[in-house]
Amino acid sequence: MYWEKDIETMPRDRIETLQSGLLRDTVRLAALSPFYGKKFRDAGIDPAGFDGLRSKEKLPFTTKDDLREHWPYGFLAVSRDELVRMHSSSGTTGRATVVFHTAHDIGQWTNLVARCMYMAGVRKGDVFQNIMTYGLFTGGLGFHYGAERIGALVIPAGAGNSKRQIQLMRDFDTTVIHIIPSYALHLYSFFEEMNLLPSRDTRVRIAFIGAEPHSERTRKKIEELYGFKAFNSYGLSEMNGPGVAFECPEQNGLHIWEDNFLAEIVDPDTLKPVADGSEGELVLTSLRRTGMPLLRYRTKDLTRIITGDCPCGRTHRRIERITGRTDDMLIIKGVNIFPIQIEKKLMEIPGVGNDFLIVLEREGYNDRMTVKVEVGQDFFDGDVLHLEKLRRRITEDLRSDILITPQVELMAPNSLPKTEGKAVRVVDNRKD
Ligand code: ADP
Ligand code: ZN
């Protein structure tokens, strides 16, 4: 049931002692990098005298812009010949940032991903199809190595090529997959086209879904369509990639592996810690990385700590599924809206299909928001009156939730543009 019982169920006071020692080591190591060396000098921090967890708030924050400005090698704490791997972020919000790993870092990361997969029930003997982009994106190789560490048979399928994915699942009796949630919904339409039912015609029992925000309703929908269990996987390239926080069999929040990461939740405006249980921005410090340690990295992801013990017995704190990135927030007619709010509402409405797109336009001084919504095939083939009723219901439900009235356009199934990577939810044409 546990990959490393001692670590996963370690009492809280021991976790904190461990973190304190690791933080001291990390600060000393980070001081060797050009970026933190200068930061510490400027802030008068003496790395040799740094006394651990209780002084964490004295450490500087690190942002994606810092990584961009000191690109590519400004954060290295070791010489370049110690490095064995480079990865990059997806570039969702601007120029992609790069992260470098030593052999030790890759070993740690691999073990973390193995711990996550094992927690969800993956074992030696499983056939794991990794439907993720390989290459610079961390989702591919991160899971690949983790699954091999467990001893599963790995099919490095990569993303896209939907019919071939289904063929691979069927030919090799795939039991576990890793897939982006928006792509899982899209892939289902290929099962339909091929007159196949995943629950009947494949043996997949576990899926890992992550890399992009998705609501609980979307997870349920994926689980219902496929007949497997879908576990939420959270990570970011700056903290290795997948393996930072992960759902256990309780599927109620994601355990952050606190023997590897120090997690804080702060108010994104004041940068002060919020009370446990309140929403804020997740800030992470790597505790075991040697090539490129990062201190108090502002993820821009919004979440909260779930208070209370988890029935699974693991003592590492849980975070709520990510509700969005501060960067994703749209300001429309002065109202703050996250795309995930729209997704959540849409997924509750029967007749709504598997994809949507928000298009923003400016007319004079006014913002106009159009939500293009794919409808389910049955609805699409049905009565036009029903379609009009559906359109009105979507408009009304969204209005009551986000407090502005969007233009709703119903679209044929599969007609919106698809990507193999993270879904594009917003097209903002308001730029002046
Ligand atoms: P980029 O930051 O350019 O998107 P990454 O590939 O490093 O590049 O993606 C990390 C980000 O992806 C996270 O900071 C978060 O915003 C998002 N993300 C990853 N996993 C999840 C998840 N399970 N739920 C919600 N968002 C996620
Ligand atoms: Zn748990």
Side-chain angles (χ1 to χ4, degrees):
M1 177 180 169
Y2 302 109
W3 178 249
E4 292 155 300
K5 184 158 191 255
D6 288 354
I7 294 178
E8 291 172 52
T9 61
M10 189 179 266
R12 290 288 330 156
D13 56 337
R14 276 189 51 213
I15 292 185
E16 283 172 19
T17 311
L18 176 69
Q19 284 190 319
S20 211
L22 291 170
L23 184 61
R24 269 197 302 272
D25 296 346
T26 297
V27 165
R28 277 178 207 142
L29 187 62
L32 304 176
S33 72
F35 178 81
Y36 289 115
K38 179 166 187 323
K39 276 264 173 191
F40 290 173
R41 279 193 299 281
D42 292 350
I45 296 173
D46 166 26
F50 185 78
D51 65 353
L53 218 46
R54 84 172 90 113
S55 298
K56 65 173 190 273
E57 279 163 35
K58 293 193 185 134
L59 295 171
F61 286 100
T62 309
T63 64
K64 218 171 183 104
D65 283 338
D66 292 328
L67 293 174
R68 287 181 180 132
E69 281 160 26
H70 298 267
W71 187 91
Y73 294 122
F75 279 83
L76 288 192
V78 296
S79 72
R80 268 163 65 179
D81 56 10
E82 293 297 319
L83 303 174
V84 300
R85 179 95 70 81
M86 175 184 121
H87 275 289
S88 85
S89 65
S90 309
T92 312
T93 58
R95 183 160 87 163
T97 52
V98 287
V99 177
F100 298 96
H101 302 273
T102 61
H104 166 269
D105 297 339
I106 295 292
Q108 289 288 337
W109 179 20
T110 298
N111 186 58
L112 280 180
V113 178
R115 193 193 285 174
C116 297
M117 296 180 83
Y118 196 88
M119 174 165 76
V122 180
R123 296 292 181 271
K124 184 174 164 58
D126 269 313
V127 178
F128 171 61
Q129 188 168 329
N130 199 9
I131 311 181
M132 279 277 165
T133 311
Y134 274 69
L136 287 172
F137 176 59
T138 56
L141 286 171
F143 265 77
H144 183 108
Y145 273 57
E148 282 189 354
R149 176 69 65 89
I150 290 179
L153 166 61
V154 180
I155 305 179
N161 213 339
S162 303
K163 288 193 174 159
R164 188 160 150 267
Q165 298 286 358
I166 296 172
Q167 197 60 47
L168 286 170
M169 282 180 204
R170 286 163 55 73
D171 286 350
F172 302 103
D173 288 338
T174 299
T175 52
V176 182
I177 63 171
H178 176 209
I179 188 164
I180 289 196
S182 53
Y183 183 59
L185 291 172
H186 180 50
L187 183 65
Y188 186 75
S189 63
F190 287 87
F191 277 96
E192 287 183 312
E193 199 184 312
M194 293 160 82
N195 280 318
L196 295 170
L197 257 184
S199 55
R200 183 192 62 204
D201 299 312
T202 79
R203 299 183 58 187
V204 182
R205 65 173 211 290
I206 295 173
F208 299 114
I209 57 174
E212 64 182 13
H214 56 286
S215 63
E216 178 62 21
R217 190 65 208 107
T218 293
R219 181 247 292 277
K220 286 263 156 55
K221 184 163 187 174
I222 293 171
E223 289 190 332
E224 280 157 20
L225 289 174
Y226 283 88
F228 54 43
K229 282 259 165 242
F231 295 89
N232 192 351
S233 151
Y234 169 78
L236 61 162
S237 55
E238 292 83 358
M239 293 290 137
N240 302 341
V244 176
F246 217 86
E247 270 181 344
C248 67
E250 299 295 324
Q251 293 186 305
N252 178 19
L254 295 84
H255 290 281
I256 291 209
W257 297 127
E258 296 183 276
D259 59 321
N260 271 260
F261 305 101
L262 174 64
E264 300 168 77
I265 311 265
V266 303
D267 178 315
D269 297 322
T270 64
L271 300 182
K272 294 278 173 251
V274 300
D276 255 12
S278 305
E279 188 175 82
E281 178 179 342
L282 179 64
V283 170
L284 292 170
T285 298
S286 69
L287 291 177
R288 285 187 192 269
R289 241 184 14 204
T290 54
M292 190 170 154
L294 291 183
L295 304 177
R296 304 189 87 198
Y297 180 70
R298 291 188 57 188
T299 65
K300 301 207 171 178
D301 293 324
L302 297 172
T303 183
R304 62 184 189 88
I305 296 286
I306 298 179
T307 50
D309 296 340
C310 185
C312 81
R314 291 177 182 82
T315 47
H316 299 239
R317 286 181 302 168
R318 285 169 296 161
I319 52 166
E320 182 94 83
R321 66 173 58 247
I322 306 291
T323 48
R325 294 180 161 202
T326 49
D327 293 334
D328 283 347
M329 193 176 76
L330 305 167
I331 304 181
I332 304 163
K333 298 183 180 173
V335 179
N336 299 347
I337 298 169
F338 284 99
I340 190 104
Q341 282 176 272
I342 310 246
E343 187 221 274
K344 218 165 140 184
K345 263 282 149 257
L346 289 176
M347 288 299 163
E348 285 167 4
I349 304 173
V352 166
N354 292 337
D355 202 3
F356 71 98
L357 181 69
I358 301 166
V359 183
L360 302 173
E361 240 106 21
R362 180 156 289 157
E363 276 177 352
Y365 291 106
N366 265 328
D367 292 336
R368 198 176 62 179
M369 175 187 199
T370 306
V371 183
K372 300 186 176 201
V373 183
E374 285 186 7
V375 292
Q377 191 70 50
D378 292 353
F379 244 82
F380 194 70
D381 296 338
D383 192 332
V384 264
L385 272 178
H386 281 133
L387 279 175
E388 179 51 20
K389 255 178 138 172
L390 176 64
R391 201 184 63 75
R392 286 200 197 150
R393 160 134 193 229
I394 295 173
T395 312
E396 187 43 41
D397 283 10
L398 288 180
R399 194 196 61 74
S400 66
D401 192 51
I402 60 178
L403 306 177
I404 58 171
T405 311
Q407 196 81 25
V408 172
E409 275 179 33
L410 297 186
M411 313 282 294
N414 282 321
S415 57
L416 287 170
K418 308 289 177 230
T419 65
E420 288 176 1
K422 305 183 187 216
V424 177
R425 294 300 188 200
V426 182
V427 175
D428 195 344
N429 295 325
R430 295 178 300 177
K431 315 268 179 320
D432 313 304

